[in-house]
C-alpha cells in the first residue's frame, strides 16, 4: 500500500547533488516537496526541473524546501543540470537525489510497474512541518506538471492549517475563502470580523483572514 494523505512521510538518507542528506534534517521545521522524474536527459523532465528552479524564490518565501529524485547516478545528475541551466535559463540549486538503489522510490511508491518497470513516475509529495503528507499528485511521463498549481496548493495548505477555512475551486491567494463546516454561522461572524457572506447554510464566504 502506498502513502496516503495524513501518513507520516518516511525519513531516509540519500546521496544528492548537494551532498549526503538526512531528509528530516534537511527539511528542519519547514515544509517540503519531494518530487520524482522518470529519467535525466529527457525533455519534459528538463522543463520541469527548470521551472522549479525558476520558482525557487516562491518556494523559499513559503518556507518550502524542494528535492527532486530519480534513479540516475550522481554524475549524470551533475552533467544534466548544466543542460537544464543552459536551456531553461535557470540555476538549479535544489538537491537532486541519486536513488540508484531505489530506496526513496520504494518508500514513496514512485515506481508504477504498469507504467514503467524501472523508472519513477512523476510523483510529487508536499510534506508539512509535522512530517505528514499533505498532498500527493502523480502524473505520467508524457505530461509535465504545473508548478504554479503546486504553489497554489501550498498557499491553500498553509492558510487552512492556521484558520478554520477551506479554499474553493480555482482559488488563488488573496481571494475569498470558505468558512469551514465545523464553524457555525454565529461563531463564524465573531471569528471572521471582515464579514461572512452566507450563500447557503453550508456555503459561507469570508475574505482571506491573513491578508
Ligand atoms: C520526458 O521527460 O520527456 C520523458 C521521460 C520519460 C519518458 C518519456 C518522456
Amino acid at each position: 500500500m502506498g502513502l496516503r494523505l495524513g501518513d507520516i512521510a518516511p525519513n531516509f538518507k540519500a546521496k544528492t547533488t548537494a551532498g549526503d542528506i538526512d531528509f528530516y534534517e534537511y527539511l528542519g521545521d519547514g515544509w517540503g516537496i519531494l518530487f520524482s522524474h522518470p529519467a535525466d536527459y529527457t525533455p519534459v523532465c528538463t522543463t520541469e526541473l527548470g521551472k522549479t528552479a525558476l520558482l525557487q524564490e516562491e518556494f523559499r518565501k513559503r518556507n518550502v524546501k524542494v528535492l527532486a529524485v530519480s534513479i540516475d547516478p550522481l554524475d549524470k545528475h551533475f552533467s544534466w543540470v548544466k543542460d537544464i541551466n543552459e536551456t531553461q535559463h535557470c540555476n538549479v540549486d535544489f538537491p537532486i537525489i541519486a536513488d540508484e538503489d531505489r530506496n526513496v522510490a520504494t518508500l514513496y511508491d514512485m515506481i508504477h510497474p504498469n507504467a514503467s518497470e524501472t523508472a519513477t513516475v512523476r510523483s510529487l509529495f508536499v510534506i508539512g512541518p509535522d512530517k505528514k503528507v499533505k498532498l500527493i499528485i502523480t502524473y505520467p511521463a508524457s505530461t509535465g506538471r504545473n508548478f504554479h498549481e503546486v504553489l497554489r496548493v501550498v498557499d491553500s495548505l498553509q492558510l487552512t492549517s492556521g484558520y478554520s477555512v477551506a479554499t474553493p475551486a480555482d482559488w488563488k491567494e488573496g481571494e475569498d475563502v470558505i468558512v469551514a463546516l465545523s464553524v457555525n454561522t454565529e461563531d463564524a461572524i465573531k471569528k471572521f470580523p471582515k464579514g461572512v457572506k452566507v450563500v447557503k447554510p453550508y456555503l459561507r464566504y469570508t475574505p482571506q483572514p491573513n491578508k
Side-chain angles (χ1 to χ4, degrees), residues 81-189:
V81 161
K82 290 184 201 149
D83 277 10
I84 302 172
N85 289 343
E86 178 199 325
T87 62
Q88 307 305 303
H89 314 290
C90 65
N91 175 33
V92 173
D93 67 352
F94 53 85
I96 309 175
I97 297 169
D99 192 34
E100 287 183 272
D101 63 1
R102 294 169 204 191
N103 178 42
V104 178
T106 305
L107 284 172
Y108 283 81
D109 198 26
M110 290 165 164
I111 296 181
H112 298 193
N114 291 322
S116 163
E117 279 292 338
T118 50
T120 42
V121 290
R122 296 187 197 284
S123 291
L124 184 148
F125 296 83
V126 175
I127 295 153
D130 56 4
K131 305 292 181 290
K132 288 186 180 164
V133 175
K134 307 294 183 187
L135 174 78
I136 303 173
I137 61 169
T138 308
Y139 275 41
S142 52
T143 307
R145 287 157 286 195
N146 182 331
F147 288 86
H148 291 283
E149 168 62 3
V150 175
L151 282 170
R152 190 189 76 87
V153 181
V154 168
D155 285 340
S156 171
L157 288 168
Q158 293 186 340
L159 175 70
T160 59
S161 69
Y163 294 89
S164 303
V165 296
T167 58
D170 296 340
W171 172 86
K172 288 192 294 302
E173 180 76 8
E175 294 178 357
D176 286 358
V177 299
I178 288 173
V179 176
L181 283 174
S182 56
V183 182
N184 68 40
T185 299
E186 195 184 319
D187 289 344
I189 290 163

Side-chain angles (χ1 to χ4, degrees), residues 27-49:
L27 294 182
D29 295 333
W31 292 70
I33 291 182
L34 176 67
F35 73 111
S36 57
H37 61 273
D40 294 359
Y41 287 106
T42 52
V44 177
C45 301
T46 301
T47 62
E48 283 196 324
L49 270 75

Side-chain angles (χ1 to χ4, degrees), residues 184-197:
N184 68 40
T185 299
E186 195 184 319
D187 289 344
I189 290 163
K190 290 185 211 141
K191 235 178 178 7
F192 301 111
K194 291 178 191 165
V196 175
K197 183 176 154 201

